[in-house]
Amino acid sequence: MNKAELVKSTDGYSVATVGDLASFEGKAFVKEILGTTSVELSFGTLAPGTSVPFFHHHKQNEEVYVVLSGEGVFVFDGKEEPVASGSIVRVAPDVSRNTKCTGNSPLTYICIQGKAGSLEQYTMTDGVVEE
């Protein structure tokens, strides 16, 4: 299993690595190592034929999954949805979910969690162009 490793941290930013994603295995949560205060980010890999060992939902966080490589299915409240490299999936907090790798190579993904309904500004509505 890969572990997230802190590379550099200052008062204004942190840099970490989980290593080469082509050989990444397991699950790595980066909230604590980066010190995030608004989102949780994790990297996950499932070997062919395996799935997350439990179904779950959240109390207040929605999740966004970005499938980096492989093929699989997400199960939402009992309904299967196929995913593959390039798929982007949003899941509301109260939806029961699970993930399974159905392909011949590992399913590698990023999962981002944030409090549902909390995004007030984004991209250029929050950004300030500096001269």
Side-chain angles (χ1 to χ4, degrees), residues 33-53:
I33 196 160
L34 287 178
T36 59
T37 62
S38 61
V39 297
E40 166 64 296
L41 175 76
S42 62
F43 293 84
T45 298
L46 293 169
T50 65
S51 63
V52 173

Side-chain angles (χ1 to χ4, degrees), residues 12-24:
Y13 66 90
S14 299
V15 178
T17 183
V18 294
D20 182 3
L21 288 176
S23 61
F24 180 83

Side-chain angles (χ1 to χ4, degrees), residues 34-94:
L34 287 178
T36 59
T37 62
S38 61
V39 297
E40 166 64 296
L41 175 76
S42 62
F43 293 84
T45 298
L46 293 169
T50 65
S51 63
V52 173
F54 52 84
F55 280 80
H56 74 286
H57 70 274
H58 289 272
K59 295 175 185 174
Q60 61 182 10
N61 291 348
E62 71 180 357
E63 291 180 322
V64 174
Y65 292 84
V66 180
V67 178
L68 301 174
S69 62
E71 297 176 352
V73 293
F74 276 67
V75 182
F76 305 115
D77 288 336
K79 182 178 179 187
E80 290 189 358
E81 295 291 343
V83 296
S85 179
S87 294
I88 304 169
V89 177
R90 178 198 157 274
V91 190
D94 60 345

